[in-house]
Amino acid sequence: MPDDVKRAARKIDYMLDECLSELKKYTKQASNLSSKKLGKKVLIEIQQRMQKNLKSRGGTMYTAISVVSAAIKLAHLKDMLTSQGVEAAKKYIEKLELDKSKSAAKIRSNKMYRQVRKEILISAGKKPKLEVLKNTLIKHFESNPDGRVMIFAEYRDTIDFLISEISGIEGVKAKKFIGQAKGSGNGMSQEEQKKTLEDFRDGKFNVLVSTSIGEEGIDIPSTTLVLFYEPVPSAIRYIQRRGRTARDGMPGDVIILIMRGSRDEAYYWSSINKEKKMHRQIYKLKKELEAHAGKKIVIKKVDKKGQTKLDSFVA
């Protein structure tokens, strides 16, 4: 992780700890929380419980919800900075500046935030994930000119950024694949989605940059490389994404980009451990069924012949 990102992340942690310290006044659930080991999911669960108690407790509960909302926003800013990169953090800061909520105002009033904001907005530091991504694409198409690549990214802003960055690479023709519009955001209609997949199948472009919509339920042609811009904590999603390459005995690669010291590492190991647990449960069920049926049961394995997997590029 670049030094300027580390410095800004530490300052965000400081603000997060301030929020958590204040939050402890309102709920025991926050008593063991720390910025060092904190997920947005936990904060969102606390927020939801507080919202359910609004009618019965009112008053201070509004303040508590504002505090936890500020913590969620800070945790998201940290994720953007450390996992997605400086450009994603800049985009989120722009949104925070326009956010009229009390939680956003609370963040903006913090002197530490003004330092973080300045550092992120003027940052022109290294972009390790992006550089690895670009180099990977260059090498892949040098050795496989007719290859097809699918890149998964969690956020639409990240997808737009990646498209703009990789479109200048010789031999790369990239398009995005996202879901339908959400709220005031932009999206793709079903017709646009269908046309994009047809063009990808017909070779009119060779890199599809997708959100989670590309994981399942859609007929996407097999690719020669699947690249995760960040890990996912779900074993099922991990398996589904991998399944987009190396079909029908054809070779294919899977590469996962991980920023050292970010939530990426936790997400990666979470999905790996969950998949191992899944396999253990399947094996246990198989043994139980065999004992009940009195005969051996053969579980058909999906042939991934030729698939190689480079689990991580740690930047």
Side-chain angles (χ1 to χ4, degrees):
M1 188 183 295
D3 289 340
D4 57 340
V5 171
K6 287 181 183 178
R7 285 194 297 271
R10 283 196 293 268
K11 290 176 181 177
I12 296 171
D13 279 342
Y14 181 85
M15 289 188 287
L16 259 173
D17 283 329
E18 284 185 332
C19 278
L20 294 175
S21 179
E22 187 176 352
L23 194 59
K24 290 172 186 176
K25 300 175 185 176
Y26 304 102
T27 175
K28 293 179 180 179
Q29 290 175 284
S31 58
N32 296 319
L33 296 182
S34 162
S35 62
K36 302 300 180 185
K37 294 182 179 180
L38 182 68
K40 284 184 290 184
K41 184 179 178 181
V42 175
L43 292 172
I44 291 170
E45 288 173 354
I46 291 175
Q47 184 186 52
Q48 289 171 342
R49 289 193 182 97
M50 286 180 170
Q51 287 170 339
K52 288 180 181 178
N53 293 329
L54 263 179
K55 288 184 179 180
S56 59
R57 296 179 63 181
T60 57
M61 194 53 60
Y62 285 99
T63 304
I65 289 174
S66 179
V67 173
V68 75
S69 295
I72 290 170
K73 287 180 169 68
L74 287 170
H76 187 66
L77 175 59
K78 182 182 176 183
D79 279 352
M80 290 293 97
L81 177 64
T82 58
S83 175
Q84 302 297 300
V86 171
E87 294 303 318
K90 287 180 181 179
K91 282 275 187 182
Y92 189 62
I93 280 180
E94 289 171 6
K95 292 177 182 178
L96 273 179
E97 293 297 307
L98 299 174
D99 191 335
K100 296 180 180 179
S101 67
K102 289 183 179 180
S103 57
K106 180 179 178 65
I107 292 171
R108 291 194 299 268
S109 67
N110 192 311
K111 291 181 180 179
M112 189 68 76
Y113 168 75
R114 293 195 283 275
Q115 293 178 30
V116 170
R117 177 183 177 277
K118 182 179 179 181
E119 288 176 14
I120 291 175
L121 292 180
I122 66 172
S123 176
K126 296 179 181 179
K127 301 170 184 174
K129 274 192 177 183
L130 179 62
E131 294 309 312
V132 171
L133 174 65
K134 286 182 174 181
N135 289 333
T136 300
L137 290 176
I138 291 169
K139 291 177 181 178
H140 185 77
F141 286 115
E142 281 178 351
S143 60
N144 195 349
D146 297 322
R148 272 194 293 236
V149 176
M150 192 163 183
I151 300 171
F152 283 101
E154 186 172 353
Y155 301 103
R156 293 183 180 186
D157 284 345
T158 301
I159 286 175
D160 289 336
F161 171 67
L162 293 179
I163 292 283
S164 67
E165 289 288 332
I166 66 177
S167 292
I169 299 174
E170 186 176 353
V172 170
K173 295 178 181 178
K175 277 195 176 183
K176 67 180 177 182
F177 186 65
I178 60 176
Q180 297 181 39
K182 294 180 180 179
S184 59
N186 296 321
M188 296 177 73
S189 67
Q190 288 186 343
E191 284 302 312
E192 288 173 324
Q193 291 171 350
K194 183 179 178 182
K195 180 68 165 57
T196 298
L197 293 181
E198 287 175 354
D199 288 348
F200 188 48
R201 188 177 294 107
D202 293 340
K204 292 182 180 179
F205 63 95
N206 54 8
V207 178
L208 186 67
V209 189
S210 175
T211 57
S212 59
I213 190 176
E215 291 174 354
E216 64 171 332
I218 295 173
D219 183 19
I220 293 177
S222 183
T223 64
T224 49
L225 170 65
V226 166
L227 196 149
F228 296 34
Y229 197 67
E230 68 281 303
V232 287
S234 164
I236 293 174
R237 292 179 63 195
Y238 179 58
I239 293 167
Q240 286 170 336
R241 289 185 178 191
R242 281 184 356 218
R244 291 304 186 185
T245 191
R247 295 179 187 168
D248 303 320
M250 298 298 289
D253 296 323
V254 177
I255 295 176
I256 304 171
L257 303 186
I258 300 172
M259 180 74 83
R260 191 189 300 276
S262 75
R263 64 100 195 258
D264 286 356
E265 292 180 300
Y267 276 17
Y268 173 74
W269 289 113
S270 175
S271 64
I272 293 296
N273 291 331
K274 285 175 183 176
E275 185 178 3
K276 288 180 179 178
K277 183 179 179 181
M278 189 186 301
H279 287 304
R280 287 196 298 269
Q281 289 172 335
I282 291 171
Y283 181 77
K284 181 181 177 182
L285 179 60
K286 173 179 175 288
K287 289 296 182 184
E288 290 174 355
L289 290 173
E290 285 177 343
H292 181 73
K295 60 181 180 180
K296 190 174 180 65
I297 296 173
V298 177
I299 297 177
K300 184 179 178 182
K301 293 184 178 180
V302 177
D303 183 15
K304 288 293 180 185
K305 183 180 179 182
Q307 184 182 76
T308 57
K309 182 178 68 172
L310 178 58
D311 279 334
S312 58
F313 269 119
V314 181

